[in-house]
Amino acid sequence: MSELPDDFKCTITNWEYIYSLCRDVSGEVRRDAFEPDVVVALARGGWFAGRCLCDFLGLDDLTSLKMEHYVGTAAKSGEPTVRYPMPEGSVEGKDVLIIDDIADTGGSIERAHEYVTDRDAGEVRTATLQLLQTSEFEPDYIGERLEDWTWVVYPWNFIEDMVDLIAGVMEKADAETFTADDVRYYLNEYHQIERIEMEIAQPNRLPEVLTEMERRDVVERAASGEWTLAE
């Protein structure tokens, strides 16, 4: 989690809320009278949104572009690059809507716009479900603007992010073993994740995450109902 303070804020979301943002973005597209032929979803965060936009806009042409920027929860890896190119001819001569879940610096979606445009696409427009005020790139369509910087935990990568976050707070906390209540305390202490927020967004999932961390050898049982970081 380099380049960020130890106590960066996190926000946990659920499927219903994200689905509503997909609906909002599609509404903007329709009001703008833009009729894309194909949706390009940036992998992995844009996949759910891309499929929803196809449904809302009546499209059946959906493709994916894998951009590499984040290597873990809130850990950046420099300039975004194309990892897996799109199939040949997938956007040629077509009007394109590029969708991602969030724009932080805006680098990924800006690079995707350049990449798609260079492949002889027609009109290319961009959209994000959420836009952080730190972004230097302004997409054409935005579901929600976030004025305060936060790491957004999406429902499709809840376990992935929570494994990283919990391991991180265990490393920073002045303790050897942790109960589930201890984990909740430190998530709030370091990342402002309140218990009620997590239970509303992702109810009863902390035991699942801790079990998965044990399976991945990130933590190990210290006693009944207690965990410690694995050696």
Side-chain angles (χ1 to χ4, degrees), residues 19-81:
Y19 188 73
S20 71
L21 292 180
C22 293
R23 183 185 291 111
D24 291 344
V25 169
S26 65
E28 284 195 21
V29 174
R30 287 196 299 269
R31 284 191 294 273
D32 206 26
F34 179 53
E35 299 181 358
D37 302 300
V38 57
V39 171
V40 174
L42 298 194
R44 296 175 294 166
W47 283 343
F48 176 78
R51 182 61 186 89
C52 288
L53 287 181
C54 283
D55 190 35
F56 286 130
L57 298 174
L59 299 173
D60 59 10
D61 198 349
L62 171 65
T63 190
S64 179
L65 175 61
K66 172 65 173 174
M67 305 295 296
E68 192 158 82
H69 189 77
Y70 284 100
V71 295
T73 305
K76 298 180 182 180
S77 61
E79 293 299 315
T81 57

Side-chain angles (χ1 to χ4, degrees), residues 210-222:
L210 289 168
T211 298
E212 179 61 16
M213 292 178 73
E214 192 173 353
R215 187 190 71 83
R216 297 183 190 185
D217 296 323
V218 177
V219 299
E220 56 190 30
R221 292 271 181 172

Side-chain angles (χ1 to χ4, degrees), residues 63-180:
T63 190
S64 179
L65 175 61
K66 172 65 173 174
M67 305 295 296
E68 192 158 82
H69 189 77
Y70 284 100
V71 295
T73 305
K76 298 180 182 180
S77 61
E79 293 299 315
T81 57
V82 176
R83 184 174 181 182
Y84 300 129
M86 293 183 303
E88 189 70 26
S90 56
V91 297
E92 185 176 352
K94 299 177 181 179
D95 291 338
V96 179
L97 179 62
I98 302 171
I99 179 69
D100 203 3
D101 52 0
I102 192 167
D104 180 353
T105 66
S108 291
I109 198 162
E110 183 176 23
R111 176 69 185 94
H113 184 276
E114 295 169 353
Y115 177 88
V116 170
T117 300
D118 288 345
R119 270 138 193 85
D120 299 320
E123 187 172 2
V124 181
R125 298 189 187 182
T126 56
T128 56
L129 299 183
Q130 294 174 308
L131 179 71
L132 287 164
Q133 51 84 19
T134 50
S135 178
E136 297 178 3
F137 181 81
E138 178 91 357
D140 297 290
Y141 308 107
I142 301 162
E144 177 183 41
R145 295 177 184 268
L146 302 176
E147 295 303 320
D148 296 324
W149 196 96
T150 184
W151 178 266
V152 181
V153 179
Y154 292 104
W156 51 80
N157 62 296
F158 177 80
I159 291 178
E160 177 181 303
D161 276 2
M162 293 308 296
V163 166
D164 286 348
L165 291 168
I166 292 171
V169 300
M170 284 182 170
E171 288 177 357
K172 292 189 281 275
D174 185 21
E176 292 295 327
T177 63
F178 302 84
T179 64

